[in-house]
Amino acid sequence: MAYPTQPTASHYINGAYVEDQTGDEIPVIYPATGDRIGLVHAGTPAIVDQAIAAAKAAQPAWAALSPRERGRILTRAAQIMRERNYDLSVLETHDTGKPLQETLVADATSGADALEYFGGLAGTLTGEHIPLGEDWAYTIREALGVCVGIGAWNYPTQIACWKGAPALACGNTMVFKPSETTPLCALKVAEILTEAGAPPGVFNVVQGMGQTGAQLVTDPRVAKVSLTGSAATGKKVYAAAAAEMKHVTMELGGKSPMIVFEDADIENAIGGAILGNFYSSGQICSNGTRVFVHRAIKEHFLTRLAERLATARIGDPMDEKTSFGPMVSQAQMNIVLRYIDIAKTEGARLVAGGQRIDRDGFYIEPTVFADVTDDMTIAREEIFGPVMSVLDFEDEDEVIARANATEYGLSAGVFTRDLSRGHRVIGGLQAGSCFINSYNDAPVEAPFGGVKASGVGRENARAAIEHYSQLKSVYVRMGDVEAPF
Ligand code: NAP
């Protein structure tokens, strides 16, 4: 293979790579060329069983370590990830096709941020003392047990760390299933955790398709499931977990609004719209794909947007000057091209892009449609590709109502110089992760997650701790027990 730090087998179980060639073949395709650069095998039921058994066996001793010791291991893993950032970024680029310019700053680095943050937090996780007069109660924050993490393909390193770091900090163990489209990066996270001192079985990786995920979710030894994926998959996984009353975190899709008022700094608003539609070739759940632009500035906005898009460097993701790469797969490219056709048929005005790029790999031009109306398919459905819809508006109340008229509620952004209006509008928007005069920042210190069909639970920040631990409360009577008879 043409990249370093190649994982040496399909799965990672009990502190070591494991191969089982009887599982279905999953080819690893480099999106920039379409070439096959590797092969892994899906986890058979025996492999899934082995991984859950390893996680189950390792959990009590891991939970019994002092939280600071667990934290130290996570922090050490963060340091290793930072030291190997270049190689891990090259691997991420080969797994996903995202330009090295992005992966060097957004993937292993944000994974390391999560390991460092939750590593630091581990020693601070406590219960509380509750005075009740003469008596008192206290709470103990306990681990849930074995957690399953299931990832999407857009941020394979980050997703593994966003789930693994808080789970492990709280004393849980994890079995992680990456997307079949990007199977490589999570294996390196597992390898690094072992190197940092995580005992065997604490963090395991099993490859596979949805079927493997379903087997993990329904296993009675699993206490919690955290999924990053589409809303359709989320509904299935949530229902399967609910059947056995398991805890869940659901990080799902979106059709998020970005609202640009007439007083906005227009270059910053265009910068936000570019980040929120074309970073990672538009394959980001929180993207602001419905850009509502005030009618007074719409044409200026579109002209400058097209000028700035013309400066995108589209090409080889391994060239650090490249700022826009391919879609993750042929299948995803075809989905996006279909949406572009539908938009044209339904009468949206093509302002930029709109074509597959004539070269190897799965490239689509950064695409902008204007005069999009709320009822058009591209304004209602998540596309998950580089397609921006620009919609007009005139009135604040009107735009809030239209922005909220979606089943989703992951993110929302507002660009305005009027700070009262900025806060007022964000207050009225139904979304979990919001931005004022910015877009798509996701620091580990701030909670991340959606409302409505975009999910339940939160990742990152202290909020994630609530989703990877449970409270035991203990009443302590200091005097005699008064019974009626
Ligand atoms: P997906 O098709 O929903 O798949 C997500 C993961 O679930 C994959 O690992 C998939 O396996 C697995 N899976 C599928 N069916 C399953 C089942 N019945 N039981 C258990 N697991 C199952 O999503 P995707 O196409 O990979 O990713 C794109 C989607 O993810 C978009 O909707 C995007 O918005 C969302 N996303 C959300 C966030 C967030 O934080 N909110 C972040 C990134 C992406 P296979 O694919 O290998 O079959």
Side-chain angles (χ1 to χ4, degrees):
M1 281 184 227
Y3 55 85
T5 62
Q6 178 190 342
T8 56
S10 298
H11 317 291
Y12 196 93
I13 300 172
N14 223 6
Y17 278 106
V18 173
E19 192 51 272
D20 176 0
Q21 295 187 347
T22 62
D24 290 344
E25 291 190 352
I26 302 177
V28 186
I29 306 294
Y30 183 36
T33 59
D35 292 341
R36 181 171 133 167
I37 55 165
L39 176 73
V40 297
H41 292 269
T44 56
I47 284 285
V48 170
D49 178 65
Q50 205 179 316
I52 296 176
K56 181 85 182 159
Q59 198 268 325
W62 177 246
L65 281 183
S66 90
R68 249 183 330 108
E69 180 57 20
R70 288 199 298 272
R72 206 176 293 134
I73 291 166
L74 297 181
T75 310
R76 216 177 284 142
Q79 275 163 5
I80 298 172
M81 284 190 82
R82 289 197 203 289
E83 283 158 17
R84 298 193 193 149
N85 183 44
Y86 186 82
D87 283 355
L88 293 169
S89 303
V90 170
L91 185 69
E92 176 98 18
T93 288
H94 280 81
D95 224 2
T96 62
K98 292 185 293 182
L100 197 56
Q101 188 187 94
E102 289 188 16
T103 55
L104 283 170
V105 297
D107 292 282
T109 53
S110 70
D113 285 349
L115 290 162
E116 197 169 66
Y117 178 85
F118 288 105
L121 212 55
T124 73
L125 304 177
T126 57
E128 62 179 334
H129 170 262
I130 304 156
L132 298 167
E134 190 185 336
D135 296 345
W136 50 288
Y138 64 97
T139 60
I140 305 171
R141 187 170 289 281
E142 294 184 335
L144 301 173
V146 176
C147 299
V148 160
I150 300 177
W153 39 256
N154 56 347
Y155 279 78
T157 305
Q158 183 190 81
I159 292 172
C161 293
W162 278 20
K163 297 187 188 311
L168 269 50
C170 291
N172 305 285
T173 54
M174 177 162 272
V175 179
F176 186 82
K177 189 201 85 66
S179 164
E180 70 186 272
T181 313
T182 53
L184 303 177
C185 296
L187 292 166
K188 298 309 287 187
V189 174
E191 208 185 300
I192 287 170
L193 279 162
T194 298
E195 202 177 324
V202 165
F203 187 83
N204 310 274
V205 176
V206 170
Q207 306 295 343
M209 284 72 106
Q211 204 184 344
T212 311
Q215 195 192 336
L216 287 165
V217 171
T218 49
D219 191 289
R221 291 167 290 182
V222 169
K224 189 222 157 92
V225 179
S226 176
L227 171 82
T228 296
S230 62
T233 303
K235 284 175 190 164
K236 280 190 231 161
V237 171
Y238 200 172
E244 295 181 50
M245 212 57 84
K246 293 177 182 177
H247 297 252
V248 295
T249 298
M250 294 283 147
E251 290 294 352
L252 309 175
K255 192 73 206 177
S256 300
M258 177 186 301
I259 302 173
V260 183
F261 283 96
E262 66 279 20
D263 66 341
D265 179 318
I266 204 147
E267 291 301 321
N268 282 339
I270 291 167
I274 288 172
L275 285 174
N277 282 273
F278 302 120
Y279 202 71
S280 302
S281 295
Q283 303 165 113
I284 298 184
C285 50
S286 48
N287 272 354
T289 48
R290 289 183 296 146
V291 182
F292 292 91
V293 182
H294 194 278
R295 202 158 277 150
I297 56 165
K298 181 184 80 170
E299 288 309 326
H300 180 49
F301 180 94
L302 289 172
T303 305
R304 280 293 298 138
L305 175 63
E307 285 168 5
R308 286 180 61 172
L309 284 184
T311 69
R313 296 276 295 252
I314 304 174
D316 175 7
M318 285 299 294
D319 178 347
E320 281 186 48
K321 295 197 186 69
T322 296
S323 56
F324 185 87
M327 307 298 303
V328 74
S329 65
Q330 182 150 21
Q332 189 61 22
M333 178 182 72
N334 289 338
I335 289 171
V336 176
L337 288 171
R338 194 183 131 259
Y339 274 112
I340 290 173
D341 280 347
I342 292 173
K344 290 174 182 165
T345 312
E346 291 183 359
R349 170 163 62 106
L350 186 64
V351 173
Q355 304 287 334
R356 179 175 181 181
I357 298 173
D358 185 19
R359 56 176 291 154
D360 287 343
F362 315 127
Y363 287 82
I364 297 180
E365 293 171 333
T367 298
V368 179
F369 284 102
D371 303 340
V372 176
T373 53
D374 297 346
D375 57 332
M376 287 182 184
T377 306
I378 58 164
R380 289 185 289 107
E381 296 183 15
E382 184 185 45
I383 300 173
F384 224 59
V387 182
M388 182 194 299
S389 296
V390 177
L391 305 93
D392 307 354
F393 79 95
E394 278 188 354
D395 173 73
E396 183 179 311
D397 289 339
E398 164 220 333
V399 77
I400 291 173
R402 289 170 60 202
N404 286 337
T406 166
E407 63 176 314
Y408 294 113
L410 185 49
S411 291
V414 176
F415 280 85
T416 176
R417 285 195 174 93
D418 178 344
L419 279 183
S420 314
R421 173 155 67 186
H423 293 290
R424 186 171 63 237
V425 170
I426 285 293
L429 291 173
Q430 297 162 354
S433 300
C434 296
F435 311 92
I436 297 179
N437 293 330
S438 191
Y439 207 86
N440 259 355
D441 314 77
V444 68
E445 296 89 338
F448 180 84
V451 302
K452 294 159 65 180
S454 292
V456 293
R458 291 292 176 270
E459 295 197 303
N460 290 344
R462 280 190 169 269
I465 298 301
E466 298 302 327
H467 302 288
Y468 282 102
S469 61
Q470 58 198 346
L471 291 177
K472 175 182 278 174
S473 79
V474 184
Y475 187 101
V476 181
R477 183 173 294 282
M478 302 299 285
D480 295 331
V481 174
E482 278 180 34
F485 50 84

